Amino acid sequence: MSQMPLFASPSETVLVDDERGRVAYTPGFLSADVVQAWFAELRESVPWKTQRRRMYDRDVDVPRLQAHFRLDQGDDAPDAIRVAAGKAVAFTGVPFNSVGLNFYRDGRDSVAPHSDHLDEIVEGFPIALLSLGATRRMTIRAKEPPRRVLQIDLTGGSLMVMSYETQLHYTHGIPKTRESVGARISLAFRVKPARDPAAEASFYR
Ligand SMILES: O=C(O)CCC(=O)C(=O)O
């Protein structure tokens, strides 16, 4: 009996590769069946949290739900995350040990332009963003001239890898949209330093 392959054969497109960093995008990194199954599993099983942030003189909800697991220190991550991490590690050769999850419920959810906090990732290692669910557009913008803006539609099942240098030279964000879009979950894989037990996971607005 023939079986559908669990994973598609991905092919990477390099969007930028110069002294300011490398960004590579791989649509179809996961097959549609896997995307659907993992989206459903993570939506139900992850302990999603609403974060609050001080904005000027008041506290506001961060406009998406979030969660975080260490992959190397016994955190009880759902199976889908463990398998996804294994795939990301095998594809990139990067020993990711942490995953931050974002749940964008609809087009009103977003993440503001930011770059990763450099004290929270190990120097030299890239970050990888795995998308499940609806397509959302990411804007990647150079911090200094020469001006460069990339708009990338992150489709469900895609993997985007941004080198460490891109965190120095670019911001990335997912703007709100008035278009009618479904829910999206992203898994942001990182290599983090050994955990300080007193430290809280930090989140981007
Ligand atoms: O949802 C995404 O793909 C982006 C997430 C992100 O920028 C982050 O977690 O720092």
Side-chain angles (χ1 to χ4, degrees), residues 102 104 114 116 129 138 154 172 174 184 186 188 190 204:
N102 300 287
Y104 303 82
H114 66 279
D116 271 36
L129 298 172
M138 170 169 276
L154 300 176
H172 59 277
I174 307 248
R184 168 177 183 265
S186 68
R190 297 184 173 90
Y204 302 101

Side-chain angles (χ1 to χ4, degrees), residues 50-88:
T50 307
Q51 302 289 326
R52 302 276 292 170
R53 276 281 175 272
R54 191 86 188 155
M55 284 282 277
Y56 305 107
D57 56 349
R58 62 198 180 104
D59 289 329
V60 295
D61 284 349
V62 170
R64 66 192 185 285
L65 305 180
Q66 293 173 292
H68 177 261
F69 296 95
R70 280 299 286 229
L71 300 169
D72 57 348
Q73 293 176 0
D75 284 5
D76 195 13
D79 287 348
I81 291 182
R82 300 239 164 242
V83 181
K87 280 227 15 114

